[in-house]
Amino acid sequence: MDQMMGDGGRFPLETWFWEMPICTRWWTTATVLMSGLVQCQLVTPFQLFYSQSAVFQKSQYWRLLTTFLYFGPFSLDLLFHVYFLQRYSRLLEESSGRSPAHFSWLLLYAMAFLILLSPMVSVQPFLGQALSSTLVYIWSRRNPDTRLSFLGLLVFTAPYLPWVLMGFSLTLHGSIPKDEIMGVIIGHVWYFFTDVYPPLHGGSRPLDPPMWWRRLFEGRPSEETANAINNEIAVAGAEVAPPEVVR
């Protein structure tokens, strides 16, 4: 029995789960739970997908989130999507210093633009695949020398991964994967303004999370806290200092 347990007396699956960064962990969990709710017939897919009329006319605001969480019923296809979701989401979140503020801001950016653009492109009502494509594209551009193998048949470097997946989707479904193309475009905008643009413009990073967003996840930055403490000490010292005698 002890051989089946991982570090700290946990099972390997439990260890794998808790080792995931927090945003990836909750996104993966919500995806599996959403499929479970549909499988148990507690909700239906018709209650989950994004619809402008349902959201803005019927106030069904949960669809803004659930459209990114449902990948289909329990199946091999769901397993494939969850694997890619947690793998590349985890790699990106870890490369951002496991910072929930930075990675959650990336997710918010991608989700907002996918929702805004989806009515213009006439993509599938569920946008989880498009969001995954955004993350895969960003990771692939940041790791140009990484070599990958697809199904053990095709070996290529990471920047070709989004296009290989699109080709596989086209072969499998027989239709142009508009959602994945949209995800790649949104991912390229993020990659350009966070990796290409800053060195050319004095380190300016226009897509970094604002300070108020960082405070929600990380509290007050150490430098800001230190400055506040120094100011308080200076004020306190000025209050207790004896007045100078003017002669």
Side-chain angles (χ1 to χ4, degrees):
M1 181 67 179
D2 292 339
Q3 295 178 354
M4 296 175 60
M5 306 290 283
D7 296 336
R10 292 176 175 174
F11 288 99
L13 184 61
E14 185 182 0
T15 302
W16 167 81
F17 175 79
W18 288 108
E19 283 179 350
M20 280 192 285
I22 185 168
C23 294
T24 301
R25 185 191 315 155
W26 287 113
W27 187 17
T28 303
T29 302
T31 297
V32 175
L33 287 178
M34 197 61 62
S35 294
L37 291 174
V38 173
Q39 194 77 22
C40 296
Q41 299 182 351
L42 297 176
V43 296
T44 69
F46 298 102
Q47 297 172 297
L48 305 176
F49 66 83
Y50 172 68
S51 165
Q52 275 188 314
S53 59
V55 171
F56 299 108
Q57 296 178 17
K58 300 179 180 179
S59 301
Q60 297 179 359
Y61 298 115
W62 67 82
R63 293 177 183 267
L64 295 171
L65 181 62
T66 57
T67 186
F68 297 102
L69 301 179
Y70 184 66
F71 287 85
F74 286 122
S75 63
L76 212 56
D77 187 55
L78 174 64
L79 186 63
F80 179 81
H81 284 302
V82 169
Y83 169 77
F84 269 88
L85 181 156
Q86 69 82 28
R87 173 174 170 77
Y88 293 103
S89 174
R90 176 176 183 168
L91 289 172
L92 268 185
E93 189 169 359
E94 289 178 340
S95 67
S96 66
R98 299 178 76 95
S99 168
H102 283 78
F103 188 71
S104 61
W105 186 254
L106 164 59
L107 292 178
L108 182 64
Y109 152 83
M111 292 164 66
F113 276 92
L114 285 170
I115 287 173
L116 286 173
L117 296 177
S118 60
M120 309 175 193
V121 186
S122 299
V123 298
Q124 297 179 5
F126 291 103
L127 299 174
Q129 180 60 39
L131 181 56
S132 295
S133 297
T134 300
L135 303 184
V136 168
Y137 179 84
I138 296 171
W139 177 86
S140 68
R141 292 302 302 268
R142 289 179 175 176
N143 298 271
D145 298 324
T146 303
R147 296 184 65 81
L148 303 171
S149 174
F150 185 72
L151 301 178
L153 302 174
L154 185 63
V155 178
F156 51 90
T157 53
Y160 291 101
L161 177 60
W163 314 109
V164 170
L165 294 177
M166 283 188 213
F168 179 73
S169 179
L170 176 61
T171 303
L172 193 64
H173 302 289
S175 59
I176 297 175
K178 295 180 181 179
D179 51 348
E180 296 182 44
I181 294 174
M182 186 171 61
V184 164
I185 293 172
I186 292 173
H188 183 73
V189 173
W190 177 274
Y191 168 75
F192 177 81
F193 281 106
T194 56
D195 292 70
V196 179
Y197 181 89
L200 302 176
H201 295 81
S204 173
R205 304 178 65 88
L207 292 186
D208 270 9
M211 189 58 66
W212 64 267
W213 183 266
R214 294 180 59 184
R215 288 196 189 103
L216 289 177
F217 292 88
E218 302 169 358
R220 300 172 70 182
S222 56
E223 292 183 3
E224 183 180 334
T225 304
N227 291 336
I229 293 174
N230 291 336
N231 291 337
E232 291 175 4
I233 293 175
V235 171
E239 291 176 351
V240 300
E244 293 184 1
V245 178
V246 180
R247 295 180 179 178

